[in-house]
Amino acid sequence: MAEEDRGNMIFSNVVNRVVSEGGANAQAITKLIKSGGEVVGYELESGQHISVHQAIEMAKGNMLKHVGVSTSKDGSEYIRSLADGDESNNLGNLPSITSDYQ
């Protein structure tokens, strides 16, 4: 269960600074795009490929379904799935493709 804390949503001790449940035209992330073992982007349900930075901006604009924008200990932003009890839709459990996409 989430609780409000100064405008931030807290899920499992992780602060999501932005929560994107998705607006009318929002898309779901369906695949991870990896290069050298690192996630460098995402494939959307439309087939469009976006960078990690684009995904963060889209989440901030409520254009992605069911993700949050969090900040790591080093201060960098990243997106994560919102906790819903269904592990199959967690970003880390999605299929991945390998690409030179930067």
Side-chain angles (χ1 to χ4, degrees):
M1 185 162 131
E3 65 185 49
E4 192 77 21
D5 179 20
R6 289 182 239 165
N8 296 316
M9 297 299 292
I10 298 176
F11 295 94
S12 304
N13 298 323
V14 175
V15 176
N16 292 302
R17 294 185 317 105
V18 175
V19 172
S20 178
E21 289 292 356
N25 296 318
Q27 294 193 61
I29 294 172
T30 57
K31 293 181 183 170
L32 307 176
I33 302 173
K34 292 185 175 184
S35 178
E38 297 290 319
V39 175
V40 296
Y42 304 95
E43 184 175 288
L44 303 179
E45 60 189 326
S46 67
Q48 177 185 4
H49 289 188
I50 60 171
S51 69
V52 171
H53 177 75
Q54 287 171 310
I56 291 167
E57 294 304 312
M58 287 178 75
K60 288 178 179 179
N62 204 31
M63 297 168 59
L64 292 178
K65 294 179 183 175
H66 207 66
V67 297
V69 178
S70 298
T71 304
S72 68
K73 289 181 182 180
D74 71 3
S76 59
E77 293 181 315
Y78 65 97
I79 64 167
R80 55 177 282 132
S81 303
L82 297 179
D84 66 358
D86 179 4
E87 291 190 24
S88 70
N89 64 4
N90 290 352
L91 292 177
N93 292 333
L94 294 177
S96 62
I97 57 176
T98 303
S99 176
D100 292 332
Y101 184 72
Q102 301 285 334

